[in-house]
Amino acid sequence: MKKWLTAVSAGSVLVLGACGGGEEESQGGGEGEETQDTLEVAVIPAQSSGEMESGVQSLEDTLNESLDQEVSVETYPNYNAVVEALNYGELDLAYLGPLTYVIAHEESGAEAILTQEIDGEPYYYSYIITHVDQPWETLDEMLEDSGEVDFAFGSISSTSGSLIPGLELRERGAFESEQENEFASVRYTGSHDVTAQVVQSQDVDAGAIDSAIYNELVEEGAIDESQIRTIWESDQLYQYPWAVPEDMDDELKADIQEAFINIEDEEILNVFGGASAFVETDHSNYESITQAAEDFGMLNMDAIED
């Protein structure tokens, strides 16, 4: 396996959690004896609530047992940091949103090899939600009052919280950018759970959210479903991918896929959108996201800088 650097240049990527390091681990220390590289894995929480630490540690422990080498799993602060680290060869495996994945693929050839199923399906949706006290039953009805609507997206780098609903609103003539739109105001909350909370509290009138995270928030009791109405649902979106660098050895890719597919630990699965299983995927499942990003001028890192 190609040796990947793990030291991140100052100011480019902030890593949260313990430093995994990419130094070669000595297997005995004698002259001529083999050394083994650390497989560097990056994950990012899709929402700010919930407990990630124990699930991520369990994932690291499981991969260390399954793969014939040292594995370090770290939590990164945002999607942009993961894309940049992947592009610069500082990671061997990264958990990305679909939009940030296609940008990494465009910029460095990163390749999707795994995703997760939720309730047996590898799909999710973008929702536009509002409070039940609002008068709108559909997106069309809301847009008739667009000049009075305070609207919330999630992170600008989110597929379901920004790109897909933003493209829908642009096609309906209501949105072009945060500065250019037909709404009373537009804000980016930074995460799906915050969007749900500000819609429920009526700090905003409507917002865009990941369907799987919305359902998880309801199940956790973080959001009262009786207070929320979904007024728009996108077409199917393929679930968040796990991506590897372009030149990773095929044998190692297959070993990683097998290790993930064999995971049944609910503590691990739960921190990835309440997944029921990990399954193989490939870039063809994200071509529609590539096209949407290109149409919206977001197929590059500059477009998603927070």
Side-chain angles (χ1 to χ4, degrees), residues 116-137:
Q116 45 279 326
E117 290 184 338
I118 295 178
D119 296 329
E121 296 288 343
Y123 307 110
Y124 73 115
Y125 304 86
S126 172
Y127 288 166
I128 292 178
I129 58 174
T130 188
H131 194 276
V132 292
D133 287 347
Q134 299 292 349
W136 318 301
E137 297 288 338

Side-chain angles (χ1 to χ4, degrees), residues 79-88 96 100-101 103-104 107 301:
Y79 287 121
N80 302 32
V82 177
V83 173
E84 192 155 336
L86 188 61
N87 287 348
Y88 280 94
L96 300 167
T100 41
Y101 160 66
I103 292 172
E107 294 192 346
M301 284 293 293

Side-chain angles (χ1 to χ4, degrees), residues 14-21 43 53 56-57 60 72-77:
L14 171 64
V15 181
L16 300 183
C19 296
V43 301
E53 185 176 348
V56 168
Q57 183 60 56
E60 180 176 284
S72 173
V73 182
E74 295 186 1
T75 304
Y76 273 53

Side-chain angles (χ1 to χ4, degrees), residues 134-155:
Q134 299 292 349
W136 318 301
E137 297 288 338
T138 67
L139 181 58
D140 283 335
E141 291 179 5
M142 187 197 79
L143 291 179
E144 289 177 4
D145 298 328
S146 61
E148 302 174 4
V149 174
D150 295 314
F151 194 89
F153 294 102
S155 166

Side-chain angles (χ1 to χ4, degrees), residues 31-295:
E31 184 177 352
E33 292 187 10
E34 293 185 358
T35 59
Q36 188 172 11
D37 297 336
T38 297
L39 188 83
E40 298 293 338
V41 181
V43 301
I44 178 162
Q47 61 193 86
S48 61
S49 67
E51 180 59 55
M52 285 288 293
E53 185 176 348
S54 61
V56 168
Q57 183 60 56
S58 294
L59 176 61
E60 180 176 284
D61 294 342
T62 297
L63 294 179
N64 269 289
E65 293 173 4
S66 302
L67 297 170
D68 188 24
Q69 65 187 110
E70 185 79 13
V71 179
S72 173
V73 182
E74 295 186 1
T75 304
Y76 273 53
N78 55 57
Y79 287 121
N80 302 32
V82 177
V83 173
E84 192 155 336
L86 188 61
N87 287 348
Y88 280 94
E90 293 157 354
L91 295 173
D92 301 297
L93 179 66
Y95 179 62
L96 300 167
L99 171 57
T100 41
Y101 160 66
V102 299
I103 292 172
H105 178 81
E106 179 77 10
E107 294 192 346
S108 68
E111 177 187 358
I113 63 167
L114 288 158
T115 190
Q116 45 279 326
E117 290 184 338
I118 295 178
D119 296 329
E121 296 288 343
Y123 307 110
Y124 73 115
Y125 304 86
S126 172
Y127 288 166
I128 292 178
I129 58 174
T130 188
H131 194 276
V132 292
D133 287 347
Q134 299 292 349
W136 318 301
E137 297 288 338
T138 67
L139 181 58
D140 283 335
E141 291 179 5
M142 187 197 79
L143 291 179
E144 289 177 4
D145 298 328
S146 61
E148 302 174 4
V149 174
D150 295 314
F151 194 89
F153 294 102
S155 166
I156 196 168
S157 58
S158 171
T159 308
S160 56
S162 177
L163 172 64
I164 296 301
L167 190 60
E168 179 71 21
L169 291 171
R170 188 178 77 163
E171 290 175 351
R172 293 172 183 248
F175 177 80
E176 190 64 38
S177 68
E178 186 175 5
Q179 295 74 32
E180 185 180 348
N181 58 76
E182 299 298 317
F183 295 112
S185 71
V186 168
R187 73 174 73 171
Y188 288 87
T189 67
S191 69
H192 297 284
D193 57 313
V194 174
T195 298
Q197 290 161 5
V198 295
V199 170
Q200 180 169 292
S201 65
Q202 301 191 65
D203 288 338
V204 299
D205 301 305
I209 191 170
D210 176 315
S211 65
I213 294 175
Y214 172 78
N215 292 334
E216 189 176 5
L217 291 168
V218 169
E219 290 173 9
E220 292 173 352
I223 293 299
D224 181 356
E225 189 174 25
S226 70
Q227 299 299 303
I228 303 294
R229 177 185 298 127
T230 301
I231 60 173
W232 177 80
E233 177 180 302
S234 71
D235 293 335
Q236 287 181 337
L237 304 171
Y238 227 82
Q239 273 288 349
Y240 294 30
W242 294 78
V244 298
E246 181 180 27
D247 57 355
M248 177 174 280
D249 177 80
D250 286 342
E251 183 177 352
L252 179 55
K253 284 190 286 190
D255 288 344
I256 292 170
Q257 287 173 320
E258 182 179 5
F260 271 80
I261 289 168
N262 289 333
I263 291 174
E264 297 180 348
D265 185 340
E266 290 190 4
E267 184 177 37
I268 297 172
L269 293 168
N270 284 341
V271 299
F272 297 103
S276 52
F278 292 107
V279 294
E280 291 184 23
T281 193
D282 59 50
H283 182 70
S284 65
N285 290 319
Y286 301 94
E287 289 178 351
S288 63
I289 302 300
T290 301
Q291 186 61 57
E294 187 173 9
D295 290 347

